[in-house]
Amino acid sequence: MKRRVVVTGMGAVSPIGNTVEEVWNSIEEKKCGIDYITHFDTTDFKVKLAAEVKDLDMEQYFPKRDLKFNDRFTQFARIASKQAVQDSALDLENVDLDRMGVLIASGIGGIETIENSQKSLDTRGPSRVSPYFIPMALVNLAGGQVAIDTGARGYCSSVVTACAASNNAIGEAFHRIRDGYEDIMLAGGSEASITPLAIAGFQSMRALHTGDNKDRASIPFDAQRSGFVMGEGAGVLVLEEYEHAKARNAKIYGEIVGYGATCDAHHITAPSPDGKQGARAMKLAIEDASIQKEDIQYVNAHGTSTPLNDKTETAAMKLAFEEHAKNLMVSSTKSFTGHLLGASGAIEAVICLKAIENNTVPCTLHYENADENCDLDIVPNENRQCELKYVMSNSLGFGGHNASLIFKKVEE
């Protein structure tokens, strides 16, 4: 018999807030996190805008030594995990830590550390490259550090599937608990790639928006969309077996009931234009949840604000939901946060669970111009009150990765 899996804690560091409540308040107040880049001098760059984490007091969470020897993406992951554990009210001294695991995703990992270490090599020589360079740069060290922080001795790993990474991490963690391997998992993703090299690379691919109007930068499904806006941050969920959570009277935000993942096997960056494998990921999640497609009320779309992604994802949703597609509410909260790459699905999972808790569908912000290729109900500009039971979250990544999650309001 498959075990039920619920979410009992959440943590968030994002462009629209550095706690879960701040994130949700920004959604309710329609506060966008996009502004001019401050992390580095953009004089020689076409890209001027990003969605940076702001006003985060890291010394509230770490001694200075930890800040010095952890890449920014690891710092974000550790902070979001600390928040999630505190929110869950887990007593780690009385938890079977052999049955608690960690699965933290990232698309790029410690790219800031890689850039800075290359500069040290070029200007000061090989002997001045830090011995901490490798562990700071490795993607899996975010999860490793979280395991050290919590004492979790169960399955500890990382997922690196570009922008689908967090959904894959949460989905795989969900299945590990459901199938009996762990009782508790910390799952999510982290990214900190607003750096000169990362921005230059995506700029050269022509993937990023290059305008300077903050309100017309990340505009998913809008006919004038022209590229995504880089974001940064982390989201982490505490996933817990239902009976384990009930036994300790834990607060439950919602239940994870479905997960589907596929690959386009088409192109290293572009999604397959027919949307078939994205649709199949959604269908697999619905099948995994043992529900009907008509049960899904709201889809938090990948919705990156690139011309090809939004068109393809719309086609995929039409294939997956058929006639029900016209009844779906679909929005992209990247209109608030920008695109957090490997962390995007984790922040969007937090938003989906808060949407269920508050019976509020987040809008697609700053939408103005209809696109006939993106003709679903994209909840433009105004949040919508609606009692929610089943919510889907989609993430798509370079390499053709597709990952869909389904969250459910908990019923006793």
Side-chain angles (χ1 to χ4, degrees):
M1 181 178 176
K2 294 180 179 180
R3 307 194 309 168
R4 294 173 66 187
V5 181
V6 294
V7 178
T8 57
M10 300 194 292
V13 176
S14 85
I16 58 171
N18 297 323
T19 66
V20 169
E21 290 308 312
E22 287 180 5
V23 169
W24 185 249
N25 287 342
S26 292
I27 294 292
E28 290 194 318
E29 296 167 8
K30 295 185 291 185
K31 176 184 175 183
C32 182
I34 296 167
D35 211 329
Y36 288 96
I37 294 172
T38 65
H39 287 352
F40 62 91
D41 184 356
T42 62
T43 299
D44 296 328
F45 288 75
K46 294 179 181 178
V47 172
K48 304 296 182 182
L49 299 175
E52 298 176 341
V53 168
K54 309 165 190 70
D55 304 320
L56 177 61
D57 180 9
M58 290 194 180
E59 292 187 22
Q60 173 186 346
Y61 296 93
F62 304 119
K64 288 185 178 180
R65 178 180 175 82
D66 278 20
L67 293 176
K68 185 176 181 181
F69 297 123
N70 278 205
D71 187 89
R72 186 172 171 86
F73 96 102
T74 298
Q75 294 166 4
F76 289 161
R78 293 178 70 188
I79 291 170
S81 297
K82 287 174 184 285
Q83 292 177 4
V85 170
Q86 182 178 15
D87 184 42
S88 73
L90 278 169
D91 181 358
L92 296 179
E93 292 185 0
N94 291 299
V95 166
D96 183 354
L97 295 172
D98 291 343
R99 300 277 300 170
M100 178 174 170
V102 179
L103 194 43
I104 303 293
S106 185
I108 298 179
I111 191 166
E112 183 176 52
T113 292
I114 294 170
E115 290 183 47
N116 291 338
S117 297
Q118 181 66 53
K119 290 176 186 176
S120 293
L121 176 63
D122 291 344
T123 60
R124 303 171 70 191
S127 64
R128 300 311 297 269
V129 173
S130 170
Y132 289 93
F133 159 55
I134 297 298
M136 287 174 67
L138 292 174
V139 171
N140 69 292
L141 260 292
Q145 286 280 20
V146 169
I148 292 169
D149 288 342
T150 59
R153 297 189 296 264
Y155 182 77
C156 181
S157 190
S158 57
V159 178
V160 188
T161 48
C163 306
S166 283
N167 269 22
N168 284 137
I170 294 167
E172 298 298 333
F174 154 56
H175 278 182
R176 287 194 67 84
I177 296 174
R178 188 190 66 180
D179 295 341
Y181 294 102
E182 272 82 29
D183 297 322
I184 303 167
M185 291 288 294
L186 292 175
S190 185
E191 204 77 83
S193 50
I194 303 176
T195 70
L197 183 60
I199 295 296
F202 280 102
Q203 176 181 285
S204 293
M205 292 173 62
R206 301 181 181 177
L208 295 176
H209 175 75
T210 57
D212 58 5
N213 182 344
K214 295 180 286 186
D215 293 338
R216 296 294 295 161
S218 184
I219 49 172
F221 305 113
D222 191 295
Q224 293 184 351
R225 66 191 184 277
S226 60
F228 76 83
V229 174
M230 186 73 79
E232 63 176 357
V236 174
L237 308 180
V238 175
L239 308 188
E240 194 168 349
E241 191 272 324
Y242 176 73
E243 296 299 337
H244 189 281
K246 291 294 288 183
R248 65 182 189 86
N249 296 313
K251 175 181 177 179
I252 295 175
Y253 285 99
E255 186 171 358
I256 302 182
V257 293
Y259 167 53
T262 64
C263 182
D264 287 347
H266 169 71
H267 189 271
I268 58 172
T269 56
S272 179
D274 59 20
K276 288 182 179 179
Q277 295 308 315
R280 193 164 70 90
M282 297 179 225
K283 291 178 181 179
L284 288 171
I286 291 167
E287 181 181 339
D288 195 40
S290 298
I291 61 174
Q292 302 300 311
K293 59 182 179 292
E294 290 81 10
D295 292 322
I296 303 294
Q297 301 156 277
Y298 165 56
V299 177
N300 187 297
H302 189 55
T304 59
S305 189
T306 61
L308 190 55
N309 176 90
D310 297 1
K311 175 182 176 181
T312 301
E313 190 177 6
T314 300
M317 285 186 279
K318 289 180 178 179
L319 283 174
F321 290 98
E322 299 175 321
E323 283 299 308
H324 181 57
K326 65 178 181 293
N327 300 318
L328 285 173
M329 292 174 284
V330 178
S331 70
S332 172
T333 49
K334 289 181 179 68
S335 57
F336 290 82
T337 66
H339 189 0
L340 278 66
L341 304 184
S344 60
I347 287 294
E348 286 153 16
V350 168
I351 292 171
C352 285
L353 287 157
K354 292 297 289 184
I356 290 171
E357 181 183 53
N358 291 278
N359 291 314
T360 300
V361 175
C363 67
T364 302
L365 202 59
H366 298 144
Y367 180 84
E368 292 183 6
N369 303 286
D371 181 347
E372 63 181 11
N373 295 306
C374 303
D375 57 351
L376 300 180
D377 176 7
I378 56 106
V379 193
N381 300 316
E382 296 295 334
N383 299 333
R384 196 172 296 172
Q385 299 302 306
C386 175
E387 186 170 349
L388 293 171
K389 183 176 181 181
Y390 288 103
V391 167
M392 177 179 283
S393 179
N394 289 335
S395 286
L396 318 175
F398 284 178
H401 304 289
N402 308 295
S404 296
L405 294 168
I406 297 176
F407 302 96
K408 178 188 177 185
K409 187 184 292 289
V410 167
E411 297 173 338
E412 299 297 333

